[in-house]
Coordinates of all heavy atoms in Angstrom, one line a residue:
T38 N 135.6 231.3 86.4 CA 136.1 230.2 85.5 C 135.9 228.8 86.2 O 136.1 227.8 85.7 CB 137.5 230.2 85.1 OG1 138.4 230.0 86.3 CG2 137.9 231.6 84.5
G39 N 135.5 228.8 87.5 CA 135.2 227.5 88.2 C 136.2 227.3 89.4 O 136.5 228.2 90.1
G40 N 136.6 226.1 89.6 CA 137.5 225.7 90.7 C 136.8 225.4 92.1 O 135.6 225.5 92.1
T41 N 137.6 225.2 93.1 CA 137.1 224.9 94.4 C 136.4 226.0 95.0 O 135.5 225.9 95.8 CB 138.2 224.4 95.3 OG1 138.8 223.2 94.8 CG2 137.8 224.3 96.7
I42 N 136.7 227.2 94.7 CA 136.0 228.4 95.2 C 134.6 228.4 94.8 O 133.7 228.9 95.6 CB 136.8 229.7 94.8 CG1 136.3 230.9 95.6 CG2 136.5 230.0 93.2 CD1 137.2 232.1 95.5
A43 N 134.3 227.7 93.7 CA 132.9 227.5 93.4 C 132.4 226.1 93.5 O 131.5 225.6 93.0 CB 132.7 227.9 91.9
G44 N 133.1 225.4 94.5 CA 132.9 224.0 94.7 C 131.9 223.7 95.8 O 131.8 224.5 96.7
Y55 N 135.2 216.5 97.0 CA 134.0 217.4 96.7 C 133.9 217.6 95.2 O 134.8 217.3 94.5 CB 134.1 218.7 97.5 CG 135.4 219.4 97.3 CD1 135.5 220.2 96.1 CD2 136.5 219.2 98.0 CE1 136.7 220.8 95.8 CE2 137.7 219.8 97.7 CZ 137.8 220.6 96.6 OH 139.0 221.3 96.3
T56 N 132.9 218.3 94.8 CA 132.8 218.7 93.3 C 133.2 220.2 93.1 O 132.6 221.1 93.7 CB 131.4 218.4 92.8 OG1 131.0 217.1 93.3 CG2 131.3 218.6 91.3
A57 N 134.2 220.4 92.3 CA 134.6 221.7 92.0 C 133.7 222.3 90.9 O 133.0 221.6 90.2 CB 136.1 221.8 91.6
A58 N 133.8 223.6 90.8 CA 133.1 224.3 89.7 C 131.6 224.0 89.6 O 131.1 223.5 88.6 CB 133.7 223.9 88.4
V86 N 135.0 225.2 85.0 CA 135.8 223.9 85.1 C 136.6 223.9 86.3 O 137.0 224.8 86.9 CB 136.7 223.9 83.8 CG1 136.0 223.8 82.5 CG2 137.7 225.1 83.8
A87 N 136.9 222.6 86.6 CA 138.0 222.4 87.6 C 139.3 222.6 86.9 O 139.4 222.3 85.7 CB 138.0 221.0 88.1
S88 N 140.2 223.3 87.5 CA 141.3 223.9 86.7 C 142.3 222.8 86.2 O 143.2 223.2 85.3 CB 142.0 225.0 87.4 OG 143.0 224.5 88.4
E89 N 142.1 221.6 86.6 CA 143.0 220.5 85.9 C 142.5 220.4 84.5 O 143.3 219.8 83.6 CB 142.9 219.2 86.6 CG 141.6 218.5 86.6 CD 140.8 218.8 87.9 OE1 141.1 219.9 88.5 OE2 140.0 217.9 88.3
N90 N 141.3 220.9 84.2 CA 140.8 220.8 82.8 C 140.9 222.1 82.1 O 140.2 222.4 81.1 CB 139.4 220.4 82.8 CG 139.3 218.9 83.0 OD1 140.1 218.1 82.4 ND2 138.4 218.4 83.8
M91 N 141.7 223.0 82.5 CA 142.0 224.3 81.9 C 142.6 224.1 80.5 O 143.4 223.1 80.4 CB 142.8 225.2 82.8 CG 143.0 226.7 82.3 SD 141.5 227.5 81.9 CE 140.6 227.6 83.5
H119 N 139.2 231.1 90.0 CA 139.9 230.0 89.2 C 140.3 228.9 90.2 O 140.5 229.1 91.4 CB 141.2 230.7 88.7 CG 141.9 229.9 87.6 ND1 142.5 228.7 87.7 CD2 142.0 230.2 86.2 CE1 143.0 228.3 86.6 NE2 142.7 229.2 85.7
G120 N 140.3 227.7 89.7 CA 140.9 226.6 90.5 C 142.3 226.9 90.8 O 143.0 227.5 90.0
T121 N 142.7 226.3 92.0 CA 144.1 226.6 92.4 C 145.2 225.8 91.6 O 146.3 226.1 91.6 CB 144.3 226.4 93.9 OG1 144.0 225.0 94.2 CG2 143.4 227.3 94.7
D122 N 144.7 224.6 91.1 CA 145.7 223.7 90.4 C 146.6 224.3 89.4 O 147.8 224.0 89.3 CB 145.0 222.4 90.0 CG 144.5 221.5 91.2 OD1 144.9 221.8 92.4 OD2 143.8 220.6 91.0
T123 N 145.9 225.0 88.5 CA 146.7 225.6 87.3 C 146.6 227.1 87.3 O 146.9 227.7 86.3 CB 146.2 225.0 86.0 OG1 144.8 225.4 85.8 CG2 146.4 223.5 85.8
M124 N 146.2 227.6 88.5 CA 146.1 229.1 88.6 C 147.4 229.8 88.2 O 147.3 230.8 87.5 CB 145.6 229.5 90.0 CG 145.4 231.0 90.1 SD 145.0 231.4 91.9 CE 143.4 230.8 92.0
V144 N 142.0 234.6 91.9 CA 141.7 234.2 93.4 C 141.1 232.8 93.2 O 140.3 232.5 92.3 CB 140.9 235.2 94.1 CG1 139.5 235.3 93.4 CG2 140.7 234.8 95.6
G145 N 141.3 232.0 94.3 CA 140.7 230.6 94.4 C 140.5 230.4 95.8 O 140.6 231.2 96.7
A146 N 140.3 229.1 96.1 CA 140.2 228.6 97.5 C 140.6 227.2 97.6 O 140.6 226.5 96.6 CB 138.7 228.8 97.9
M147 N 141.1 226.8 98.8 CA 141.5 225.4 98.9 C 140.4 224.5 99.5 O 140.5 223.4 99.5 CB 142.7 225.4 99.9 CG 144.0 226.0 99.2 SD 144.4 225.1 97.7 CE 145.1 223.6 98.4
R148 N 139.4 225.2 100.1 CA 138.2 224.5 100.7 C 137.0 224.9 99.9 O 136.8 226.0 99.6 CB 138.1 224.9 102.1 CG 139.3 224.4 102.9 CD 139.2 224.7 104.4 NE 140.3 224.4 105.2 CZ 140.8 225.1 106.2 NH1 140.2 226.1 106.6 NH2 141.9 224.7 106.8
P149 N 136.1 223.9 99.7 CA 134.9 224.3 98.9 C 134.0 225.2 99.7 O 134.1 225.3 100.9 CB 134.2 222.8 98.7 CG 134.7 222.0 99.8 CD 136.2 222.4 100.1
D156 N 137.7 229.0 102.9 CA 138.6 230.2 102.7 C 138.2 231.1 101.5 O 138.7 232.2 101.4 CB 140.0 229.7 102.5 CG 140.3 228.7 101.5 OD1 139.3 227.9 101.2 OD2 141.4 228.6 101.0
L182 N 145.6 235.0 97.7 CA 145.0 233.9 98.6 C 145.6 234.0 100.0 O 146.8 234.5 100.1 CB 145.2 232.5 98.1 CG 144.3 232.0 97.0 CD1 145.0 232.2 95.6 CD2 144.0 230.5 97.2
K194 N 152.0 226.9 93.4 CA 151.2 226.1 94.4 C 152.2 225.1 95.0 O 152.9 224.4 94.3 CB 150.0 225.4 93.7 CG 149.1 224.7 94.8 CD 147.9 224.1 94.1 CE 147.0 223.5 95.2 NZ 145.7 222.9 94.7
T197 N 149.5 220.4 98.6 CA 148.2 219.8 98.0 C 146.9 220.3 98.6 O 145.9 220.3 98.0 CB 148.3 218.3 98.0 OG1 148.4 217.9 99.4 CG2 149.3 217.7 97.2
S198 N 147.0 220.6 99.9 CA 145.7 221.0 100.6 C 145.8 222.1 101.5 O 144.6 222.6 102.0 CB 145.3 219.7 101.3 OG 146.3 219.3 102.2
T202 N 149.0 227.5 100.6 CA 149.7 226.8 99.5 C 150.5 227.7 98.6 O 151.5 227.3 98.0 CB 148.7 225.9 98.8 OG1 149.5 225.1 97.8 CG2 147.6 226.6 98.1
F203 N 150.0 228.9 98.3 CA 150.6 229.8 97.3 C 151.9 230.5 97.9 O 151.7 231.3 98.8 CB 149.6 230.7 96.6 CG 148.8 230.0 95.6 CD1 147.6 229.4 95.9 CD2 149.3 229.8 94.3 CE1 146.9 228.7 95.0 CE2 148.5 229.1 93.4 CZ 147.4 228.5 93.7
Ligands
SIN401 C1 140.9 223.2 90.8 O1 142.0 223.5 90.6 O2 139.9 223.5 90.0 C2 140.6 222.3 91.9 C3 141.4 222.5 93.1 C4 141.2 223.9 93.7 O3 140.6 224.8 93.1 O4 141.8 224.1 94.8

Side-chain angles (χ1 to χ4, degrees):
T38 71
T41 293
I42 196 163
Y55 55 85
T56 312
V86 293
S88 78
E89 66 265 29
N90 283 317
M91 189 48 65
H119 197 290
T121 60
D122 289 349
T123 59
M124 181 183 289
V144 67
M147 292 301 288
R148 298 179 182 145
D156 51 336
L182 278 95
K194 186 171 181 177
T197 55
S198 53
T202 182
F203 280 92

